[in-house]
């Protein structure tokens, strides 16, 4: 049996029908991510086996789930592709995992003013890239896990990726985000607000349902590869590149 009580089980069934799972196999599958935590970190992450797994398909369902969770004392853990590998989606024992991957629609692309795209949180970066490229636009930045990772997931996890050399981390490239708060209230945060309340919070401040990201004009990419003799030369080269303010979109070194 899961740690979810009978009243909560019936409530979840009423909300999600056949999109809720209580079987142990699926609960265990949703209690891990793509990575293995370092031994020094693992003791500090109180991960267990999820009590249930639900898959909302719209923002209203997320709101109703949060309200149910408040009334039943359930803990919620949002997740989508789970590609970060740092433990952010690992549930405490008995928590309800909220699989956001079905909310993957690309809602609109706006080429006026600052080009932007508004998507549901579970939209995958690669799908968005293909869509905007057809319109002569491009992503400012994206994670190295682009083929499978989601827009909402990267905003929640935080960090830098391809293109962040020019445009900064993900939080600097999001114009707005809609979030279901723990109270069940739905709010829209602007760019400045989301840096305080949403970005890098790993879902602890609310469940992200919709994200608007800034875009750039599609340009031809030119790739250059340089070989350096040692780490000191690499450090010197990076400093000189930065000081010269060269027009570089992304910079990677091995």
């Amino acid at each position: 049996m899961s740690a979810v009580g009978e009243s909560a089980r019936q409530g979840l069934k009423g909300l999600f029908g056949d999109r809720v799972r209580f079987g142990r196999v699926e609960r265990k599958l949703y209690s891990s991510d793509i990575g293995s935590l370092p031994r020094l970190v693992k003791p500090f992450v109180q991960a267990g086996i999820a009590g249930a797994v639900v898959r909302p398909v719209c923002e209203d369902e997320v709101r109703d789930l949060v309200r149910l969770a408040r009334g039943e004392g359930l803990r919620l853990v949002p997740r989508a592709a789970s590609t970060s590998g740092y433990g952010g989606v690992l549930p405490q024992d008995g928590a309800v995992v909220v699989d956001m991957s079905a909310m993957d629609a690309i809602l609109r692309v706006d080429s006026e003013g600052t080009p932007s795209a508004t998507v549901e949180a579970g939209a995958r970066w690669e799908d968005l890239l293909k869509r905007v490229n057809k319109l002569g636009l491009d992503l400012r930045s994206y994670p190295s896990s682009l083929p499978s990772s989601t827009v909402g997931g990267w905003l929640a996890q935080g960090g830098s990726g391809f293109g962040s050399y020019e445009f900064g981390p993900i939080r600097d490239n999001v114009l707005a985000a809609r979030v279901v708060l723990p109270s069940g209230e739905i709010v829209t945060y602007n760019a400045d607000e989301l840096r305080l309340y949403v970005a890098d919070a790993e879902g602890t401040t609310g469940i992200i349902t919709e994200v608007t990201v800034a875009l750039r004009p599609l340009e031809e990419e030119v790739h250059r590869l340089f070989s350096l003799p040692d780490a000191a030369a690499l450090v010197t080269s990076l400093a000189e590149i930065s000081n010269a303010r060269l027009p570089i979109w992304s910079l990677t070194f091995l």
Side-chain angles (χ1 to χ4, degrees):
M1 293 290 290
S2 72
V4 176
E6 185 59 30
S7 174
R9 288 167 66 94
Q10 292 305 317
L12 292 173
K13 288 179 180 178
L15 280 178
F16 297 101
D18 62 359
R19 288 179 284 111
V20 59
R21 294 289 188 273
F22 300 104
R24 182 170 176 81
V25 171
E26 286 188 79
R27 290 190 291 114
K28 287 192 69 174
L29 288 173
Y30 275 87
S31 300
S32 60
D33 60 20
I34 197 172
S36 179
L37 291 174
R39 285 183 297 174
L40 292 177
V41 176
K42 194 170 184 178
F44 299 98
V45 179
Q46 301 300 313
I49 304 299
V53 180
V54 298
R55 176 180 264 202
V57 296
C58 65
E59 186 179 72
D60 286 347
E61 286 189 346
V62 177
R63 177 202 60 204
D64 293 344
L65 170 63
V66 170
R67 291 175 177 174
L68 174 68
R70 281 178 60 84
E72 296 288 346
L74 299 175
R75 292 163 295 179
L76 303 178
V77 180
R79 76 174 258 162
S82 304
T83 59
S84 72
Y86 294 105
V89 300
L90 302 184
Q92 288 185 317
D93 203 50
V96 176
V97 171
V98 187
D99 179 0
M100 299 293 290
S101 59
M103 293 178 60
D104 61 353
I106 298 173
L107 300 174
R108 58 186 176 275
V109 178
D110 187 358
S111 59
E112 300 297 325
T114 299
S116 65
T118 300
V119 302
E120 290 184 316
R124 283 167 171 72
W125 284 104
E126 185 173 52
D127 295 338
L128 179 58
L129 176 69
K130 292 178 179 178
R131 172 77 171 271
V132 301
N133 280 175
K134 292 179 180 179
L135 301 174
L137 299 170
D138 206 352
L139 301 175
R140 285 190 179 188
S141 64
Y142 54 79
S144 58
S145 53
L146 169 136
S148 58
S149 62
T150 63
V151 176
W154 197 28
L155 176 59
Q157 172 69 43
S160 303
F162 294 110
S164 291
Y165 182 85
E166 179 176 357
F167 291 103
I170 176 60
R171 63 177 176 269
D172 292 344
N173 294 287
V174 176
L175 303 178
R178 284 176 65 86
V179 180
V180 180
L181 301 181
S183 64
E185 179 187 3
I186 300 173
V187 299
T188 298
Y189 289 118
N190 63 33
D192 293 330
E193 293 169 332
L194 67 87
R195 292 187 182 94
L196 293 174
Y197 304 118
V198 180
D200 310 349
E202 298 192 0
T204 58
T205 57
I207 299 179
I208 301 168
T209 58
E210 187 178 299
V211 182
T212 299
V213 296
L215 302 174
R216 64 188 177 109
L218 180 63
E219 299 176 311
E220 181 180 358
E221 293 184 0
V222 178
H223 299 263
R224 293 288 185 266
L225 175 65
F226 298 94
S227 176
L228 300 169
D230 51 40
L234 172 62
V235 172
T236 300
S237 298
L238 292 176
E240 292 178 350
I241 288 171
S242 178
N243 291 334
R245 298 184 180 276
L246 299 181
I248 296 174
W249 173 68
S250 190
L251 185 65
T252 303
F253 61 87
L254 299 174

